[in-house]
Each structure stands twice: as structure tokens, then as C-alpha cells.
Amino acid sequence: MNYTLHQLQVFLKISQTLSITRAAEELNLTQPAVSIQLRNLQDQFDIPLTEVIGRRLYLTDFGREIALAAEKVLNEAYAINHRTLAHKGLLYGKLKVSVVSTGKYVMPYFLTEFMRQHEGIELVMDVTNRQKVVDSVANNEVDFALVSILPPHLNVARLDLMPNKLYLVGAGPTGQLREEAEPELLKKLPLIYREAGSGTRQMMESFLAAHQIVVKKRLELTSNEAVKQALLAGLGYSVMPLIGLKSELLNNDLQILPMAGLPLQTVWMLIWPKDKQFSPVAQAYLAYIRDHKDAIVQQHFGWYERFL
């Protein structure tokens, strides 16, 4: 037998996702690279590890046994690395963070230097919808969550990072929107919505309800990126967070359209259960963010102030 830890890692991810494509995405590898590692591991055995039925990938019984063994081997390998770092007096372990989808434009900048300073820390960051983020906090599955709207009915502590402002945005000013318009105008505009349950959708609907505006929805899309592309194509207007529009605004591909009552404002914040017992890694990260968050905002989000 001549298999490697990397082959076991790839196979374990395949066993968890039952997909070459998804395994490649989660491992930040190409699909051919994952396929090659699977083939190289399979070459070590006479019994098939996987089988394809109706274009779907399945593990064989033998494959499931190898996946369980691979998980144990990898856990022991990680433990060896951790013990080595511990003997050197270095920080080690996992930092688990859950992030609402729009937060992908924010959270990496508050992680990069910390991760660079602590090579023994493994980052597990899940970028997902708001409800799953809230559930991960409620179920104590993560160390921190990044949100822009404080979830109700959860007893959480928070650390504010930076403002989150939402503006009416479109592919360019129309004749009727060159000067600040009244919210009534939204009755006439084709509006593009985020999916139900998203924080952006919640803020937009609250604004419309506060001004007693009933509109006909033009589109409902499931991500800020999809909404942005629809705006660029000229399909309508949307109330969107500024944070994901840097290039489009600076290049004048999209423009903020002035309207009374806008922007709407929330705060990007880290939250965690108030009674949570932090691991040494989580404690170190929280201390780091408290000390460096202002400098991070200034360094990476200085452009933001042009539109505030």
C-alpha cells in the first residue's frame, strides 16, 4: 500500500459529498485533480471504492469502510500536528464561523491576518442563508456568526464591526431619478427582490411597508450576485447593501439612485451565545478583532466612506 494523506483527504470529502464536483469545490481543487486522486487511491485496492449508477456516484460497502478508516487516520494526523504546535507554545485548533451570504464580502478581511499569524488554526467558514446562520448559533455549532440584523429571541452577545447601508441601485440614473425621489416612485419601478428570509429582503420590505407602498415584483433572486447581474442587465432596481457593489459603483456600471428615507442602515456584527464557553482559539480571535477591527475597516473598506 502506498496511498497518501492527500488521497485519503480527497476520498473522505468525496464520501461526504458523493460528488466529484462538490468535493473539488470544497477542497479548492479542480475536478480533474480530484478524479486523479480518487483513481490513484483506487489503484491501491482490487475492490471498487465507488460505483456510478444512473450518473450518480455511490460508495460501495468497501468504500464506506475505507472512508471511516480514512477519517480516523486523518484525525490522528491532525492530532499529531496539533501536539507539535502545542509543544512549541503555538495556538492550534478549529475556528468555526457561520456567515450570511452577503457577509462573504466582509468576513474574509477580518480573518486573513489572524489566520496568517496562527498556522495551527483550521478555519471552517460556512457561507449560507440567514436562517441556517441563526440556527447554527442557536444550536451552538459555531464559535461566531456574522449577521447584519440581530436575530430575535436569541440571547447573544455581539461585537459591531462596521456599518451596513442599503441604497436603491440601478444601472444608471433615469430622467425621473436624477434628483431625490419620494418612495411613492417605487410603485412605478420594476423591483428586484432577494429571496424570502434574507436580511436584505427583510429590510427592503420593511421600507416599503413603512411607506405603505404596494409594488409588483419583477424578479425574485436567491443571491446578491444574481441581483447584481440583473441590475447590470437593466432588468430593474433593487435596495441592496453597498458592501457587494464596490467595483460596479467605482466603475459607474451601477449607480446609487437618491430617494427619501434611504439609505437603510444596519451593522455588520459578530454574534455568539452569551453563555458560550470559548475555546482558546475563539478567545484569541475575539481579542484580535477587538484590537484590530478599526484598522481592518480603514485598510480594506476606505472606499466605503465615499458613499456613506
Side-chain angles (χ1 to χ4, degrees):
M1 294 295 176
N2 199 28
Y3 46 78
T4 66
L5 289 177
H6 183 54
Q7 289 169 0
L8 294 179
Q9 181 186 34
V10 170
F11 181 66
L12 180 60
K13 184 58 68 176
I14 292 171
S15 75
Q16 293 167 343
T17 62
L18 295 178
S19 166
I20 299 294
T21 300
R22 287 185 57 197
E25 290 173 352
E26 294 189 20
L27 292 169
N28 293 316
L29 298 172
T30 64
Q31 292 184 41
V34 169
S35 297
I36 289 170
Q37 293 302 320
L38 175 60
R39 185 169 65 247
N40 289 343
L41 180 64
Q42 177 63 75
D43 288 345
Q44 309 290 319
F45 305 100
D46 295 328
I47 305 172
L49 298 169
T50 63
E51 56 186 346
V52 178
I53 302 175
R55 301 184 67 182
R56 292 188 61 183
L57 181 71
Y58 296 88
L59 294 184
T60 63
D61 289 341
F62 180 67
R64 281 189 285 271
E65 292 179 10
I66 296 301
L68 289 173
E71 186 173 19
K72 293 177 182 178
V73 169
L74 290 169
N75 285 338
E76 287 300 318
Y78 295 147
I80 290 171
N81 290 337
H82 292 165
R83 291 187 189 105
T84 301
L85 292 168
H87 278 289
K88 293 180 179 179
L90 301 177
L91 200 61
Y92 71 91
K94 288 185 178 181
L95 178 65
K96 294 178 285 186
V97 184
S98 186
V99 180
V100 294
S101 58
T102 308
K104 65 178 175 287
Y105 302 110
V106 177
M107 196 66 211
Y109 296 99
F110 289 89
L111 287 164
T112 301
E113 186 58 32
F114 179 77
M115 296 301 298
R116 191 174 291 143
Q117 292 176 9
H118 302 287
E119 63 179 33
I121 293 177
E122 178 186 351
L123 174 64
V124 180
M125 186 170 76
D126 184 26
V127 180
T128 185
N129 64 57
R130 184 172 180 272
Q131 188 56 55
K132 288 184 179 179
V133 171
V134 172
D135 290 344
S136 70
V137 176
N139 297 328
N140 197 30
E141 295 170 345
V142 295
D143 297 309
F144 302 101
L146 180 72
V147 297
S148 62
I149 299 175
L150 201 62
H153 315 306
L154 277 186
N155 187 22
V156 297
R158 61 186 279 184
L159 177 63
D160 293 350
L161 300 182
M162 60 183 290
N164 178 42
K165 292 197 175 186
L166 294 85
Y167 292 82
L168 180 65
V169 181
T174 66
Q176 62 192 143
L177 285 176
R178 284 187 179 132
E179 296 181 357
E180 185 173 86
E182 292 300 318
E184 286 287 316
L185 183 60
L186 293 175
K187 294 179 179 179
K188 303 176 183 179
L189 297 179
L191 291 183
I192 303 172
Y193 281 59
R194 280 288 305 276
E195 79 282 4
S198 77
T200 300
R201 169 75 168 263
Q202 182 180 333
M203 293 292 291
M204 184 172 173
E205 289 186 330
S206 296
F207 178 74
L208 296 173
H211 293 86
Q212 299 181 326
I213 295 171
V214 178
V215 299
K216 294 182 179 179
K217 287 186 291 186
R218 178 68 171 270
L219 284 176
E220 180 176 310
L221 301 172
T222 57
S223 72
N224 269 24
E225 283 299 314
V227 173
K228 184 163 61 177
Q229 293 304 314
L231 296 179
L232 289 167
L235 287 175
Y237 302 86
S238 189
V239 176
M240 291 190 69
L242 184 65
I243 196 66
L245 303 173
K246 179 181 179 181
S247 296
E248 290 75 17
L249 289 173
L250 294 180
N251 293 333
N252 291 318
D253 295 322
L254 293 176
Q255 295 193 20
I256 293 171
L257 307 175
M259 177 163 285
L262 295 179
L264 306 175
Q265 181 166 338
T266 61
V267 177
W268 286 111
M269 68 189 92
L270 287 179
I271 62 171
W272 61 91
K274 275 191 175 178
D275 55 354
K276 185 173 181 62
Q277 299 297 309
F278 283 129
S279 68
V281 169
Q283 284 180 330
Y285 180 67
L286 185 58
Y288 170 83
I289 290 300
R290 282 176 169 152
D291 289 342
H292 295 89
K293 65 184 183 73
D294 292 340
I296 293 170
V297 171
Q298 186 62 38
Q299 179 181 357
H300 296 290
F301 301 99
W303 66 271
Y304 203 70
E305 297 177 0
R306 301 187 196 182
F307 304 96
L308 299 184

Short mmCIF file of all heavy atoms in Angstrom, two decimals, residues 217-250:
data_model
loop_
_atom_site.label_atom_id
_atom_site.label_comp_id
_atom_site.label_asym_id
_atom_site.label_seq_id
_atom_site.Cartn_x
_atom_site.Cartn_y
_atom_site.Cartn_z
N LYS A 217 -43.75 42.71 -7.99
CA LYS A 217 -42.39 42.17 -8.07
C LYS A 217 -42.04 41.82 -9.51
O LYS A 217 -42.81 41.18 -10.19
CB LYS A 217 -42.25 40.94 -7.18
CG LYS A 217 -42.23 41.23 -5.71
CD LYS A 217 -41.93 40.00 -4.90
CE LYS A 217 -43.08 39.02 -4.94
NZ LYS A 217 -42.85 37.86 -4.05
N ARG A 218 -40.85 42.24 -9.91
CA ARG A 218 -40.41 41.92 -11.27
C ARG A 218 -39.62 40.61 -11.27
O ARG A 218 -39.83 39.76 -12.09
CB ARG A 218 -39.53 43.08 -11.78
CG ARG A 218 -38.96 42.87 -13.17
CD ARG A 218 -40.01 42.90 -14.25
NE ARG A 218 -39.42 42.92 -15.57
CZ ARG A 218 -39.11 44.02 -16.23
NH1 ARG A 218 -39.33 45.21 -15.67
NH2 ARG A 218 -38.59 43.95 -17.44
N LEU A 219 -38.72 40.50 -10.30
CA LEU A 219 -37.90 39.30 -10.19
C LEU A 219 -37.65 38.99 -8.72
O LEU A 219 -37.59 39.90 -7.90
CB LEU A 219 -36.55 39.51 -10.88
CG LEU A 219 -36.46 39.47 -12.40
CD1 LEU A 219 -35.04 39.80 -12.82
CD2 LEU A 219 -36.86 38.10 -12.94
N GLU A 220 -37.46 37.71 -8.41
CA GLU A 220 -37.01 37.30 -7.09
C GLU A 220 -35.83 36.37 -7.30
O GLU A 220 -35.96 35.33 -7.94
CB GLU A 220 -38.12 36.58 -6.33
CG GLU A 220 -37.70 36.12 -4.94
CD GLU A 220 -38.84 35.49 -4.16
OE1 GLU A 220 -39.93 36.11 -4.08
OE2 GLU A 220 -38.65 34.37 -3.65
N LEU A 221 -34.67 36.75 -6.75
CA LEU A 221 -33.44 36.01 -6.98
C LEU A 221 -32.81 35.60 -5.65
O LEU A 221 -33.05 36.23 -4.62
CB LEU A 221 -32.46 36.86 -7.80
CG LEU A 221 -33.01 37.28 -9.18
CD1 LEU A 221 -32.06 38.26 -9.85
CD2 LEU A 221 -33.22 36.07 -10.07
N THR A 222 -31.97 34.57 -5.68
CA THR A 222 -31.54 33.93 -4.44
C THR A 222 -30.15 34.36 -3.95
O THR A 222 -29.64 33.77 -3.01
CB THR A 222 -31.54 32.39 -4.59
OG1 THR A 222 -30.69 32.04 -5.69
CG2 THR A 222 -32.95 31.90 -4.85
N SER A 223 -29.54 35.35 -4.58
CA SER A 223 -28.25 35.82 -4.09
C SER A 223 -28.03 37.26 -4.53
O SER A 223 -28.62 37.71 -5.52
CB SER A 223 -27.10 34.95 -4.61
OG SER A 223 -26.89 35.19 -5.99
N ASN A 224 -27.18 37.96 -3.80
CA ASN A 224 -26.85 39.33 -4.18
C ASN A 224 -26.16 39.37 -5.54
O ASN A 224 -26.32 40.32 -6.31
CB ASN A 224 -25.95 39.98 -3.12
CG ASN A 224 -26.77 40.71 -2.08
OD1 ASN A 224 -27.94 40.40 -1.86
ND2 ASN A 224 -26.18 41.68 -1.42
N GLU A 225 -25.34 38.34 -5.84
CA GLU A 225 -24.67 38.29 -7.12
C GLU A 225 -25.68 38.20 -8.26
O GLU A 225 -25.52 38.85 -9.31
CB GLU A 225 -23.70 37.11 -7.18
CG GLU A 225 -22.41 37.32 -6.41
CD GLU A 225 -21.60 38.50 -6.95
OE1 GLU A 225 -21.46 38.61 -8.18
OE2 GLU A 225 -21.13 39.30 -6.14
N ALA A 226 -26.71 37.39 -8.08
CA ALA A 226 -27.74 37.27 -9.11
C ALA A 226 -28.50 38.57 -9.28
O ALA A 226 -28.79 38.99 -10.41
CB ALA A 226 -28.70 36.13 -8.75
N VAL A 227 -28.81 39.23 -8.17
CA VAL A 227 -29.49 40.53 -8.24
C VAL A 227 -28.60 41.54 -8.96
O VAL A 227 -29.06 42.29 -9.83
CB VAL A 227 -29.86 41.04 -6.83
CG1 VAL A 227 -30.40 42.48 -6.91
CG2 VAL A 227 -30.88 40.13 -6.18
N LYS A 228 -27.32 41.54 -8.63
CA LYS A 228 -26.40 42.49 -9.25
C LYS A 228 -26.34 42.30 -10.76
O LYS A 228 -26.34 43.27 -11.51
CB LYS A 228 -25.02 42.33 -8.61
CG LYS A 228 -23.99 43.32 -9.11
CD LYS A 228 -22.78 43.39 -8.18
CE LYS A 228 -22.06 42.10 -8.05
NZ LYS A 228 -20.84 42.22 -7.20
N GLN A 229 -26.29 41.06 -11.20
CA GLN A 229 -26.24 40.80 -12.64
C GLN A 229 -27.53 41.25 -13.32
O GLN A 229 -27.50 41.76 -14.45
CB GLN A 229 -25.98 39.32 -12.91
CG GLN A 229 -24.60 38.84 -12.49
CD GLN A 229 -23.48 39.65 -13.13
OE1 GLN A 229 -23.50 39.93 -14.33
NE2 GLN A 229 -22.51 40.05 -12.33
N ALA A 230 -28.66 41.07 -12.64
CA ALA A 230 -29.93 41.52 -13.20
C ALA A 230 -29.96 43.05 -13.31
O ALA A 230 -30.47 43.60 -14.28
CB ALA A 230 -31.09 41.03 -12.34
N LEU A 231 -29.41 43.72 -12.31
CA LEU A 231 -29.34 45.19 -12.37
C LEU A 231 -28.44 45.64 -13.51
O LEU A 231 -28.78 46.57 -14.25
CB LEU A 231 -28.79 45.73 -11.04
CG LEU A 231 -29.64 45.51 -9.79
CD1 LEU A 231 -28.92 46.09 -8.57
CD2 LEU A 231 -31.00 46.14 -9.93
N LEU A 232 -27.30 44.99 -13.66
CA LEU A 232 -26.38 45.35 -14.73
C LEU A 232 -27.01 45.15 -16.11
O LEU A 232 -26.70 45.88 -17.06
CB LEU A 232 -25.10 44.51 -14.63
CG LEU A 232 -24.17 44.85 -13.46
CD1 LEU A 232 -23.12 43.77 -13.28
CD2 LEU A 232 -23.51 46.21 -13.66
N ALA A 233 -27.90 44.17 -16.19
CA ALA A 233 -28.58 43.91 -17.46
C ALA A 233 -29.73 44.87 -17.70
O ALA A 233 -30.36 44.83 -18.76
CB ALA A 233 -29.09 42.47 -17.48
N GLY A 234 -30.02 45.73 -16.71
CA GLY A 234 -31.08 46.71 -16.88
C GLY A 234 -32.47 46.18 -16.63
O GLY A 234 -33.46 46.75 -17.11
N LEU A 235 -32.58 45.10 -15.83
CA LEU A 235 -33.89 44.50 -15.60
C LEU A 235 -34.71 45.22 -14.53
O LEU A 235 -35.88 44.90 -14.35
CB LEU A 235 -33.72 43.03 -15.20
CG LEU A 235 -33.31 42.09 -16.34
CD1 LEU A 235 -33.05 40.69 -15.80
CD2 LEU A 235 -34.38 42.05 -17.42
N GLY A 236 -34.10 46.14 -13.81
CA GLY A 236 -34.86 46.85 -12.80
C GLY A 236 -33.97 47.50 -11.77
O GLY A 236 -32.80 47.79 -12.03
N TYR A 237 -34.55 47.72 -10.58
CA TYR A 237 -33.88 48.37 -9.46
C TYR A 237 -34.02 47.51 -8.22
O TYR A 237 -34.92 46.67 -8.13
CB TYR A 237 -34.50 49.75 -9.20
CG TYR A 237 -34.46 50.68 -10.38
CD1 TYR A 237 -35.46 50.64 -11.35
CD2 TYR A 237 -33.41 51.58 -10.54
CE1 TYR A 237 -35.41 51.48 -12.44
CE2 TYR A 237 -33.36 52.43 -11.64
CZ TYR A 237 -34.36 52.37 -12.59
OH TYR A 237 -34.32 53.20 -13.68
N SER A 238 -33.13 47.73 -7.27
CA SER A 238 -33.23 46.98 -6.02
C SER A 238 -32.59 47.77 -4.89
O SER A 238 -31.70 48.60 -5.12
CB SER A 238 -32.52 45.62 -6.15
OG SER A 238 -32.80 44.81 -5.02
N VAL A 239 -33.07 47.52 -3.69
CA VAL A 239 -32.45 48.08 -2.48
C VAL A 239 -31.41 47.07 -2.03
O VAL A 239 -31.75 45.95 -1.63
CB VAL A 239 -33.48 48.34 -1.38
CG1 VAL A 239 -32.79 48.83 -0.11
CG2 VAL A 239 -34.51 49.37 -1.85
N MET A 240 -30.13 47.45 -2.13
CA MET A 240 -29.04 46.49 -1.92
C MET A 240 -28.00 47.03 -0.96
O MET A 240 -27.78 48.25 -0.88
CB MET A 240 -28.35 46.18 -3.25
CG MET A 240 -29.17 45.37 -4.22
SD MET A 240 -28.13 44.84 -5.60
CE MET A 240 -27.05 43.65 -4.79
N PRO A 241 -27.30 46.12 -0.26
CA PRO A 241 -26.18 46.55 0.59
C PRO A 241 -25.05 47.10 -0.28
O PRO A 241 -24.70 46.53 -1.31
CB PRO A 241 -25.75 45.27 1.30
CG PRO A 241 -26.88 44.32 1.15
CD PRO A 241 -27.55 44.68 -0.13
N LEU A 242 -24.47 48.18 0.18
CA LEU A 242 -23.36 48.80 -0.54
C LEU A 242 -22.15 47.87 -0.64
O LEU A 242 -21.42 47.91 -1.63
CB LEU A 242 -22.98 50.09 0.20
CG LEU A 242 -21.90 50.98 -0.39
CD1 LEU A 242 -22.35 51.56 -1.71
CD2 LEU A 242 -21.56 52.10 0.59
N ILE A 243 -21.97 47.01 0.36
CA ILE A 243 -20.73 46.28 0.53
C ILE A 243 -20.37 45.39 -0.65
O ILE A 243 -19.20 45.17 -0.94
CB ILE A 243 -20.79 45.42 1.84
CG1 ILE A 243 -19.40 44.98 2.25
CG2 ILE A 243 -21.75 44.25 1.68
CD1 ILE A 243 -18.51 46.10 2.65
N GLY A 244 -21.36 44.90 -1.40
CA GLY A 244 -21.08 44.00 -2.50
C GLY A 244 -20.99 44.67 -3.86
O GLY A 244 -20.94 43.98 -4.89
N LEU A 245 -20.95 46.01 -3.87
CA LEU A 245 -21.05 46.74 -5.14
C LEU A 245 -19.83 47.60 -5.44
O LEU A 245 -19.91 48.51 -6.26
CB LEU A 245 -22.30 47.63 -5.11
CG LEU A 245 -23.64 46.92 -4.85
CD1 LEU A 245 -24.75 47.95 -4.68
CD2 LEU A 245 -23.96 45.98 -5.99
N LYS A 246 -18.70 47.32 -4.81
CA LYS A 246 -17.54 48.19 -4.92
C LYS A 246 -17.14 48.45 -6.37
O LYS A 246 -17.09 49.60 -6.83
CB LYS A 246 -16.36 47.58 -4.16
CG LYS A 246 -15.08 48.42 -4.26
CD LYS A 246 -13.93 47.75 -3.51
CE LYS A 246 -12.66 48.57 -3.64
NZ LYS A 246 -11.52 47.94 -2.93
N SER A 247 -16.84 47.41 -7.11
CA SER A 247 -16.35 47.58 -8.48
C SER A 247 -17.39 48.24 -9.36
O SER A 247 -17.07 49.14 -10.16
CB SER A 247 -15.96 46.22 -9.08
OG SER A 247 -14.89 45.65 -8.37
N GLU A 248 -18.64 47.81 -9.23
CA GLU A 248 -19.69 48.34 -10.08
C GLU A 248 -19.94 49.82 -9.83
O GLU A 248 -20.20 50.59 -10.78
CB GLU A 248 -20.98 47.54 -9.86
CG GLU A 248 -20.94 46.12 -10.38
CD GLU A 248 -20.12 45.18 -9.50
OE1 GLU A 248 -19.86 45.54 -8.33
OE2 GLU A 248 -19.74 44.10 -9.97
N LEU A 249 -19.86 50.26 -8.58
CA LEU A 249 -20.07 51.67 -8.26
C LEU A 249 -18.88 52.52 -8.70
O LEU A 249 -19.04 53.59 -9.29
CB LEU A 249 -20.32 51.84 -6.76
CG LEU A 249 -21.66 51.32 -6.25
CD1 LEU A 249 -21.71 51.39 -4.73
CD2 LEU A 249 -22.83 52.11 -6.85
N LEU A 250 -17.67 52.04 -8.39
CA LEU A 250 -16.48 52.82 -8.74
C LEU A 250 -16.30 52.92 -10.25
O LEU A 250 -15.74 53.90 -10.76
CB LEU A 250 -15.24 52.21 -8.09
CG LEU A 250 -15.20 52.26 -6.55
CD1 LEU A 250 -13.93 51.62 -6.03
CD2 LEU A 250 -15.31 53.69 -6.04
#
